[in-house]
Amino acid sequence: MIKGILEKLFKKDQKSNQPDVKYVNHDEVEALVDAKIKEHAAALQTTSHDQEIQNQALSQDDFTLTAKQIEYALSLIEKVNNEFILAIDPAKLTIKDLNRLIAYNRYKNKGTLINLVKKGVLRKR
């Protein structure tokens, strides 16, 4: 009997050690949700701004070449002169065109030359 009384006393003490559940007010929940939505919207705006910067960087590939780069591009075109000729003014060559010519020279991949033909930079003989 004493054992039972002692167990009841100790069990009551253990239940009191459990933390009380705090209820959150509906207004607090709405405020938290609104704050998270604003943070998410701000993050989306920064990523869209970063994408605009990347798009500008990609459009820089279409800039014209310097005089030395034009000379180098013409020397690369002379190497494929038996099949292709330059179809545009050398001053209108772009960095992207030069990169394609370098890729052909390095890897001998005809696909790069075909891309230049499609773009109108080169023409088949």
Side-chain angles (χ1 to χ4, degrees):
M1 188 156 129
I2 295 176
K3 186 177 179 182
I5 294 172
L6 289 175
E7 286 178 11
K8 287 182 183 179
L9 288 175
F10 286 122
K11 286 185 181 177
K12 287 182 182 179
D13 290 339
Q14 289 176 356
K15 288 182 182 177
S16 65
N17 287 341
Q18 294 178 352
D20 293 334
V21 178
K22 293 183 179 179
Y23 293 101
V24 181
N25 189 359
H26 183 70
D27 294 333
E28 292 174 356
V29 171
E30 285 183 1
L32 287 172
V33 169
D34 287 340
K36 288 293 182 180
I37 289 173
K38 287 178 183 176
E39 286 178 19
H40 185 66
L44 287 177
Q45 286 178 350
T46 57
T47 56
S48 65
H49 180 67
D50 292 342
Q51 287 176 349
E52 289 175 9
I53 291 171
Q54 288 176 351
N55 289 339
Q56 289 174 355
L58 291 176
S59 67
Q60 290 177 356
D61 287 340
D62 292 334
F63 285 145
T64 56
L65 302 177
T66 63
K68 280 190 170 186
Q69 289 173 326
I70 291 173
E71 290 177 27
Y72 182 59
L74 291 175
S75 70
L76 292 175
I77 292 171
E78 286 178 15
K79 291 182 180 180
V80 294
N81 205 10
N82 56 352
E83 294 181 44
F84 299 97
I85 58 172
L86 187 63
I88 61 170
D89 183 32
K92 293 183 180 179
L93 286 171
T94 63
I95 293 173
K96 195 171 188 179
D97 301 333
L98 178 62
N99 288 338
R100 286 180 176 166
L101 289 168
I102 292 170
Y104 173 75
N105 191 37
R106 180 175 288 168
Y107 302 112
K108 304 298 182 206
N109 183 354
K110 291 259 185 176
T112 57
L113 293 179
I114 292 170
N115 287 337
L116 288 170
V117 170
K118 287 180 183 177
K119 189 176 175 188
V121 175
L122 295 179
R123 183 178 51 202
K124 282 192 174 188
R125 283 195 163 213

